[in-house]
Amino acid sequence: MSQQLNNALEDVGKSMSTLRIAIKGIPVRREGFKDLHDQFARSVATLTTHMSYARVLLDEEAAERRKRRRRR
């Protein structure tokens, strides 16, 4: 499961880079596009941050280590 999350995070990063390149030709004030883009970018940043933290919880080996520590 952790590998799927890693792949998803990489895909989101690549997509955001592609978006950054694509918006260079769009006028920033066009119909509130800049505001929508900024809101979207913040939302994606929040999502990727939460997903990165969740990666630790999904790692089976790390989960086993945490369980062993609790038993001691």
Coordinates of all heavy atoms in Angstrom, one line a residue:
M1 N 0.8 -1.2 0.0 CA 0.0 0.0 0.0 C 0.9 1.3 0.0 O 0.5 2.2 -0.7 CB -0.9 0.0 1.2 CG -1.9 1.1 1.3 SD -3.0 1.1 -0.1 CE -4.5 1.0 0.6
S2 N 2.0 1.2 0.7 CA 2.8 2.4 0.8 C 3.4 2.7 -0.6 O 3.6 3.8 -1.0 CB 4.0 2.1 1.8 OG 4.8 3.2 1.8
Q3 N 3.7 1.7 -1.4 CA 4.2 1.9 -2.7 C 3.2 2.6 -3.6 O 3.6 3.5 -4.4 CB 4.7 0.6 -3.4 CG 5.3 0.7 -4.7 CD 6.6 1.5 -4.6 OE1 7.3 1.4 -3.6 NE2 6.9 2.3 -5.6
Q4 N 1.9 2.2 -3.5 CA 0.9 2.9 -4.3 C 0.8 4.4 -3.9 O 0.6 5.3 -4.7 CB -0.5 2.2 -4.0 CG -0.6 0.9 -4.6 CD -1.9 0.2 -4.2 OE1 -2.5 0.6 -3.3 NE2 -2.2 -0.8 -5.0
L5 N 1.0 4.7 -2.6 CA 0.9 6.0 -2.1 C 2.1 6.8 -2.7 O 2.0 8.0 -3.1 CB 0.9 6.1 -0.6 CG 0.8 7.4 0.0 CD1 -0.5 8.1 -0.5 CD2 0.7 7.3 1.5
N6 N 3.3 6.2 -2.7 CA 4.5 6.8 -3.3 C 4.3 7.2 -4.7 O 4.6 8.2 -5.2 CB 5.7 5.9 -3.1 CG 6.2 5.8 -1.7 OD1 5.9 6.7 -0.9 ND2 6.9 4.7 -1.4
N7 N 3.7 6.2 -5.5 CA 3.4 6.5 -6.9 C 2.4 7.6 -7.1 O 2.6 8.4 -8.0 CB 2.9 5.2 -7.6 CG 3.9 4.1 -7.7 OD1 5.1 4.4 -7.6 ND2 3.5 2.9 -7.8
A8 N 1.4 7.6 -6.2 CA 0.4 8.7 -6.3 C 1.0 10.1 -6.0 O 0.8 11.0 -6.7 CB -0.7 8.4 -5.4
L9 N 1.9 10.1 -5.0 CA 2.6 11.4 -4.7 C 3.5 11.8 -5.9 O 3.5 13.0 -6.2 CB 3.4 11.2 -3.4 CG 2.6 11.2 -2.1 CD1 3.4 10.8 -1.0 CD2 1.9 12.6 -1.9
E10 N 4.2 10.9 -6.5 CA 5.0 11.2 -7.6 C 4.2 11.8 -8.8 O 4.6 12.7 -9.4 CB 5.8 10.0 -8.1 CG 7.0 9.7 -7.1 CD 7.7 8.4 -7.6 OE1 7.6 8.1 -8.8 OE2 8.4 7.8 -6.7
D11 N 3.1 11.1 -9.0 CA 2.2 11.5 -10.1 C 1.6 12.9 -9.9 O 1.5 13.7 -10.8 CB 1.0 10.5 -10.3 CG 1.5 9.2 -10.9 OD1 2.6 9.1 -11.4 OD2 0.7 8.2 -10.8
V12 N 1.2 13.2 -8.6 CA 0.7 14.5 -8.3 C 1.8 15.6 -8.5 O 1.6 16.7 -9.1 CB 0.2 14.6 -6.9 CG1 -0.1 16.0 -6.4 CG2 -1.1 13.8 -6.7
G13 N 3.0 15.3 -8.1 CA 4.1 16.2 -8.3 C 4.4 16.5 -9.8 O 4.6 17.6 -10.2
K14 N 4.4 15.4 -10.6 CA 4.6 15.6 -12.0 C 3.4 16.4 -12.6 O 3.7 17.3 -13.5 CB 4.7 14.3 -12.7 CG 5.9 13.5 -12.4 CD 5.9 12.1 -13.1 CE 7.1 11.3 -12.6 NZ 7.0 9.9 -13.2
S15 N 2.2 16.2 -12.2 CA 1.1 16.9 -12.7 C 1.1 18.4 -12.3 O 0.8 19.2 -13.2 CB -0.2 16.3 -12.2 OG -0.4 15.0 -12.6
M16 N 1.5 18.7 -11.1 CA 1.6 20.1 -10.7 C 2.7 20.8 -11.5 O 2.6 22.0 -11.8 CB 1.9 20.2 -9.2 CG 0.7 19.7 -8.4 SD -0.8 20.7 -8.7 CE -0.4 22.2 -8.0
S17 N 3.8 20.1 -11.8 CA 4.9 20.7 -12.6 C 4.4 21.0 -14.0 O 4.7 22.0 -14.6 CB 6.1 19.8 -12.7 OG 6.7 19.6 -11.4
T18 N 3.6 20.0 -14.6 CA 3.0 20.2 -15.9 C 2.1 21.4 -15.9 O 2.1 22.2 -16.8 CB 2.3 19.0 -16.4 OG1 3.3 17.9 -16.3 CG2 1.8 19.1 -17.8
L19 N 1.3 21.5 -14.8 CA 0.3 22.6 -14.7 C 1.1 24.0 -14.6 O 0.7 24.9 -15.3 CB -0.5 22.4 -13.5 CG -1.5 23.6 -13.2 CD1 -2.5 23.7 -14.3 CD2 -2.2 23.3 -11.9
R20 N 2.2 24.0 -13.9 CA 2.9 25.2 -13.8 C 3.4 25.7 -15.1 O 3.4 26.9 -15.5 CB 4.1 25.0 -12.8 CG 4.9 26.3 -12.6 CD 6.1 26.1 -11.7 NE 5.8 25.2 -10.5 CZ 6.5 24.1 -10.2 NH1 7.4 23.6 -11.0 NH2 6.2 23.4 -9.1
I21 N 3.9 24.8 -15.9 CA 4.4 25.1 -17.3 C 3.2 25.6 -18.2 O 3.3 26.5 -18.9 CB 5.1 23.9 -17.9 CG1 6.4 23.6 -17.1 CG2 5.4 24.1 -19.4 CD1 7.0 22.3 -17.5
A22 N 2.1 24.9 -18.0 CA 0.9 25.2 -18.9 C 0.3 26.5 -18.6 O -0.2 27.2 -19.5 CB -0.2 24.1 -18.7
I23 N 0.4 27.0 -17.4 CA -0.3 28.3 -17.1 C 0.5 29.5 -17.4 O 0.0 30.6 -17.4 CB -0.7 28.4 -15.6 CG1 0.5 28.4 -14.7 CG2 -1.6 27.3 -15.2 CD1 0.2 28.8 -13.3
K24 N 1.7 29.3 -17.9 CA 2.6 30.5 -18.2 C 2.0 31.3 -19.4 O 2.1 32.5 -19.4 CB 4.0 30.0 -18.6 CG 4.7 29.5 -17.4 CD 6.2 29.5 -17.6 CE 6.9 28.8 -16.5 NZ 7.5 29.7 -15.6
G25 N 1.2 30.6 -20.3 CA 0.6 31.4 -21.4 C -0.7 32.0 -21.1 O -1.3 32.7 -21.9
I26 N -1.3 31.8 -19.9 CA -2.6 32.3 -19.6 C -2.5 33.6 -18.8 O -1.7 33.7 -17.9 CB -3.4 31.2 -18.7 CG1 -3.5 29.9 -19.5 CG2 -4.7 31.8 -18.3 CD1 -4.1 28.8 -18.6
P27 N -3.2 34.6 -19.3 CA -3.1 35.9 -18.5 C -3.6 35.6 -17.1 O -4.6 35.0 -16.8 CB -4.1 36.8 -19.2 CG -4.3 36.2 -20.6 CD -4.0 34.7 -20.4
V28 N -2.9 36.1 -16.1 CA -3.1 35.8 -14.7 C -4.4 36.4 -14.2 O -5.0 35.8 -13.3 CB -2.0 36.3 -13.8 CG1 -0.7 35.5 -14.0 CG2 -1.7 37.8 -13.9
R29 N -4.9 37.4 -14.7 CA -6.1 38.1 -14.2 C -7.4 37.6 -15.0 O -8.5 38.0 -14.7 CB -6.1 39.6 -14.4 CG -4.9 40.2 -13.7 CD -5.2 40.7 -12.3 NE -4.1 41.3 -11.7 CZ -3.5 40.9 -10.6 NH1 -4.0 40.0 -9.9 NH2 -2.5 41.6 -10.1
R30 N -7.2 36.7 -15.9 CA -8.3 36.2 -16.7 C -9.4 35.5 -15.9 O -9.2 34.4 -15.4 CB -7.8 35.3 -17.8 CG -8.8 34.7 -18.7 CD -9.1 35.7 -19.8 NE -10.1 35.1 -20.7 CZ -10.2 35.4 -22.0 NH1 -9.3 36.3 -22.5 NH2 -11.1 34.9 -22.7
E31 N -10.5 36.1 -15.7 CA -11.7 35.5 -15.1 C -11.4 34.8 -13.7 O -11.9 33.8 -13.4 CB -12.4 34.5 -16.0 CG -12.9 35.2 -17.2 CD -13.5 34.2 -18.2 OE1 -13.7 33.0 -17.8 OE2 -13.7 34.6 -19.4
G32 N -10.5 35.5 -12.9 CA -10.2 34.9 -11.6 C -9.4 33.7 -11.6 O -9.3 32.9 -10.7
F33 N -8.7 33.4 -12.8 CA -7.9 32.1 -12.9 C -6.8 32.1 -11.8 O -6.6 31.0 -11.3 CB -7.3 32.0 -14.3 CG -6.5 30.8 -14.5 CD1 -7.1 29.6 -14.7 CD2 -5.1 30.8 -14.4 CE1 -6.4 28.4 -14.8 CE2 -4.4 29.7 -14.6 CZ -5.0 28.5 -14.8
K34 N -6.2 33.2 -11.6 CA -5.0 33.1 -10.6 C -5.5 32.8 -9.3 O -4.9 31.9 -8.6 CB -4.4 34.5 -10.6 CG -3.3 34.7 -9.6 CD -2.0 34.0 -10.0 CE -0.9 34.4 -9.2 NZ -0.2 33.3 -8.6
D35 N -6.6 33.3 -8.8 CA -7.2 32.9 -7.5 C -7.6 31.5 -7.4 O -7.3 30.8 -6.5 CB -8.4 33.8 -7.2 CG -8.0 35.2 -6.9 OD1 -6.9 35.5 -6.5 OD2 -8.9 36.1 -7.1
L36 N -8.2 31.0 -8.5 CA -8.6 29.6 -8.5 C -7.3 28.7 -8.5 O -7.3 27.7 -7.8 CB -9.4 29.2 -9.8 CG -10.8 29.8 -9.8 CD1 -11.5 29.6 -11.1 CD2 -11.7 29.2 -8.6
H37 N -6.3 29.1 -9.3 CA -5.1 28.3 -9.3 C -4.4 28.3 -7.9 O -4.0 27.2 -7.5 CB -4.1 28.9 -10.3 CG -2.8 28.2 -10.3 ND1 -1.7 28.8 -9.5 CD2 -2.3 27.1 -10.8 CE1 -0.7 28.0 -9.6 NE2 -1.0 27.0 -10.4
D38 N -4.4 29.4 -7.3 CA -3.7 29.5 -5.9 C -4.5 28.6 -4.9 O -3.9 27.9 -4.1 CB -3.7 30.9 -5.5 CG -2.7 31.8 -6.2 OD1 -1.9 31.2 -7.0 OD2 -2.7 33.0 -6.1
Q39 N -5.8 28.7 -5.0 CA -6.6 27.8 -4.0 C -6.3 26.4 -4.3 O -6.2 25.6 -3.4 CB -8.1 28.1 -4.2 CG -8.5 29.5 -3.7 CD -10.0 29.8 -4.0 OE1 -10.6 29.0 -4.7 NE2 -10.5 30.9 -3.4
F40 N -6.3 26.0 -5.6 CA -6.1 24.6 -6.0 C -4.7 24.2 -5.5 O -4.5 23.1 -5.0 CB -6.2 24.5 -7.5 CG -5.9 23.1 -8.0 CD1 -6.7 22.0 -7.7 CD2 -4.7 22.9 -8.7 CE1 -6.4 20.7 -8.2 CE2 -4.4 21.6 -9.1 CZ -5.2 20.5 -8.9
A41 N -3.7 25.0 -5.8 CA -2.3 24.7 -5.4 C -2.2 24.5 -3.9 O -1.5 23.5 -3.4 CB -1.3 25.7 -5.9
R42 N -2.8 25.3 -3.1 CA -2.8 25.2 -1.6 C -3.5 23.9 -1.2 O -3.0 23.2 -0.3 CB -3.5 26.4 -1.0 CG -2.6 27.5 -0.7 CD -3.2 28.6 0.2 NE -3.1 29.9 -0.4 CZ -3.9 30.5 -1.2 NH1 -5.1 30.0 -1.4 NH2 -3.6 31.7 -1.7
S43 N -4.6 23.6 -1.8 CA -5.3 22.3 -1.5 C -4.5 21.1 -1.8 O -4.4 20.2 -1.1 CB -6.7 22.3 -2.3 OG -7.5 23.3 -1.9
V44 N -3.8 21.1 -3.0 CA -3.0 20.0 -3.4 C -1.8 19.9 -2.4 O -1.4 18.8 -2.0 CB -2.5 20.1 -4.8 CG1 -1.5 19.1 -5.2 CG2 -3.7 20.0 -5.8
A45 N -1.2 21.0 -2.0 CA -0.1 21.0 -1.1 C -0.5 20.4 0.3 O 0.2 19.5 0.8 CB 0.4 22.4 -0.9
T46 N -1.7 20.7 0.7 CA -2.3 20.2 2.0 C -2.5 18.7 1.8 O -2.1 17.9 2.7 CB -3.6 20.9 2.4 OG1 -3.3 22.3 2.5 CG2 -4.1 20.3 3.7
L47 N -3.1 18.3 0.7 CA -3.3 16.9 0.5 C -2.0 16.1 0.4 O -1.9 15.0 1.0 CB -4.1 16.7 -0.9 CG -4.3 15.2 -1.3 CD1 -5.2 14.5 -0.3 CD2 -4.8 15.2 -2.7
T48 N -1.0 16.5 -0.3 CA 0.2 15.8 -0.4 C 0.9 15.7 0.9 O 1.6 14.7 1.2 CB 1.2 16.4 -1.5 OG1 1.4 17.8 -1.2 CG2 0.6 16.2 -2.9
T49 N 0.8 16.8 1.7 CA 1.4 16.7 3.1 C 0.8 15.7 3.9 O 1.4 14.9 4.6 CB 1.3 18.1 3.8 OG1 1.9 19.1 3.0 CG2 1.9 18.1 5.1
H50 N -0.6 15.6 3.9 CA -1.3 14.6 4.7 C -0.9 13.2 4.2 O -0.8 12.2 4.9 CB -2.8 14.8 4.6 CG -3.2 16.0 5.4 ND1 -3.0 16.1 6.8 CD2 -3.9 17.1 5.1 CE1 -3.5 17.3 7.2 NE2 -4.1 17.9 6.2
M51 N -0.8 13.1 2.8 CA -0.5 11.8 2.3 C 0.9 11.3 2.7 O 1.2 10.1 2.9 CB -0.7 11.8 0.7 CG -2.1 11.9 0.3 SD -2.3 12.1 -1.5 CE -1.6 10.6 -2.2
S52 N 1.8 12.3 2.7 CA 3.2 11.9 3.1 C 3.2 11.4 4.5 O 3.9 10.5 4.9 CB 4.1 13.2 3.0 OG 4.2 13.5 1.6
Y53 N 2.5 12.1 5.4 CA 2.4 11.6 6.8 C 1.8 10.3 6.9 O 2.1 9.4 7.7 CB 1.7 12.6 7.7 CG 2.5 13.9 8.0 CD1 2.0 15.1 7.8 CD2 3.8 13.8 8.4 CE1 2.7 16.3 8.0 CE2 4.6 14.9 8.7 CZ 4.0 16.2 8.5 OH 4.7 17.3 8.7
A54 N 0.8 10.0 6.1 CA 0.1 8.7 6.1 C 0.9 7.6 5.6 O 0.7 6.4 6.0 CB -1.2 8.8 5.2
R55 N 1.9 7.9 4.8 CA 2.8 6.9 4.3 C 3.5 6.1 5.4 O 3.6 4.9 5.3 CB 3.9 7.6 3.4 CG 4.8 6.6 2.7 CD 5.8 7.3 1.9 NE 5.7 8.8 1.8 CZ 6.4 9.6 1.0 NH1 7.3 9.0 0.2 NH2 6.2 10.8 1.0
V56 N 3.9 6.8 6.5 CA 4.5 6.1 7.6 C 3.5 5.1 8.2 O 3.9 4.0 8.6 CB 4.9 7.1 8.6 CG1 5.5 6.4 9.9 CG2 6.0 8.0 8.0
L57 N 2.3 5.5 8.3 CA 1.2 4.6 8.9 C 1.0 3.4 8.0 O 0.5 2.3 8.6 CB 0.0 5.4 9.1 CG 0.1 6.6 10.1 CD1 -1.2 7.3 10.1 CD2 0.5 6.2 11.5
L58 N 1.2 3.5 6.7 CA 0.8 2.4 5.8 C 2.0 1.4 5.6 O 1.8 0.4 5.1 CB 0.4 2.9 4.5 CG -0.9 3.7 4.5 CD1 -1.1 4.3 3.1 CD2 -2.0 2.8 4.9
D59 N 3.2 1.8 6.1 CA 4.4 1.0 5.9 C 4.3 -0.2 6.9 O 4.3 0.0 8.1 CB 5.6 1.8 6.2 CG 6.9 1.0 5.9 OD1 6.8 0.0 5.3 OD2 8.0 1.5 6.3
E60 N 4.2 -1.4 6.4 CA 4.0 -2.6 7.2 C 5.1 -2.8 8.1 O 5.0 -3.2 9.3 CB 3.7 -3.8 6.4 CG 2.4 -3.9 5.7 CD 2.4 -3.3 4.3 OE1 3.6 -3.1 3.8 OE2 1.4 -3.0 3.7
E61 N 6.3 -2.7 7.7 CA 7.5 -2.9 8.5 C 7.6 -1.9 9.7 O 7.8 -2.3 10.8 CB 8.8 -2.8 7.7 CG 8.9 -3.9 6.6 CD 10.1 -3.7 5.8 OE1 11.0 -2.8 6.1 OE2 10.2 -4.4 4.7
A62 N 7.3 -0.7 9.4 CA 7.3 0.3 10.4 C 6.2 0.0 11.4 O 6.3 0.2 12.6 CB 7.1 1.7 9.8
A63 N 5.0 -0.4 10.9 CA 3.9 -0.7 11.8 C 4.3 -1.9 12.8 O 4.0 -1.9 14.0 CB 2.7 -1.1 11.0
E64 N 5.0 -2.9 12.2 CA 5.4 -4.0 13.1 C 6.4 -3.5 14.1 O 6.4 -4.0 15.3 CB 6.1 -5.1 12.2 CG 5.1 -5.9 11.4 CD 4.1 -6.6 12.3 OE1 4.5 -7.2 13.3 OE2 2.9 -6.6 11.9
R65 N 7.3 -2.6 13.8 CA 8.3 -2.1 14.7 C 7.6 -1.3 15.8 O 7.9 -1.5 17.0 CB 9.3 -1.2 14.0 CG 10.3 -1.9 13.2 CD 11.5 -1.0 12.8 NE 11.0 0.1 12.0 CZ 11.0 0.1 10.7 NH1 11.5 -0.9 10.0 NH2 10.6 1.2 10.0
R66 N 6.6 -0.6 15.5 CA 5.8 0.2 16.5 C 5.1 -0.8 17.4 O 5.1 -0.6 18.7 CB 4.8 1.1 15.8 CG 5.4 2.4 15.3 CD 4.3 3.4 14.9 NE 3.3 2.9 14.0 CZ 3.4 2.9 12.7 NH1 4.5 3.4 12.1 NH2 2.4 2.4 11.9
K67 N 4.5 -1.9 16.9 CA 3.8 -2.8 17.7 C 4.8 -3.5 18.7 O 4.5 -3.7 19.9 CB 3.2 -3.9 16.9 CG 1.9 -3.5 16.2 CD 1.3 -4.6 15.3 CE 0.2 -4.1 14.5 NZ -0.4 -5.2 13.7
R68 N 6.0 -3.8 18.2 CA 7.0 -4.5 19.1 C 7.4 -3.5 20.2 O 7.6 -4.0 21.3 CB 8.2 -4.9 18.3 CG 8.0 -6.2 17.6 CD 9.2 -6.7 16.9 NE 9.0 -6.7 15.5 CZ 9.7 -6.2 14.5 NH1 10.9 -5.7 14.8 NH2 9.4 -6.2 13.3
R69 N 7.6 -2.3 19.9 CA 8.0 -1.3 20.9 C 6.9 -1.2 22.0 O 7.2 -1.0 23.2 CB 8.2 0.1 20.3 CG 9.6 0.2 19.7 CD 9.9 1.6 19.3 NE 10.0 1.6 17.9 CZ 9.6 2.6 17.1 NH1 9.1 3.7 17.6 NH2 9.7 2.5 15.8
R70 N 5.6 -1.2 21.6 CA 4.5 -1.1 22.6 C 4.5 -2.3 23.5 O 4.1 -2.2 24.7 CB 3.2 -1.0 21.8 CG 3.0 0.3 21.2 CD 1.7 0.4 20.5 NE 1.6 1.4 19.5 CZ 0.8 1.5 18.5 NH1 -0.1 0.5 18.4 NH2 0.8 2.4 17.6
R71 N 4.9 -3.5 23.0 CA 4.8 -4.7 23.9 C 5.8 -4.7 25.0 O 5.7 -5.3 26.0 CB 5.0 -5.9 23.0 CG 3.8 -6.2 22.1 CD 4.1 -7.4 21.2 NE 3.2 -7.4 20.1 CZ 3.4 -8.1 19.0 NH1 4.5 -8.8 18.9 NH2 2.5 -8.1 18.0
R72 N 6.9 -4.0 24.7 CA 8.0 -4.0 25.7 C 7.7 -3.3 27.0 O 7.0 -2.5 27.3 CB 9.3 -3.3 25.1 CG 9.8 -4.2 24.0 CD 11.1 -3.5 23.5 NE 11.5 -4.2 22.3 CZ 12.5 -3.8 21.6 NH1 13.2 -2.8 21.9 NH2 12.9 -4.5 20.5

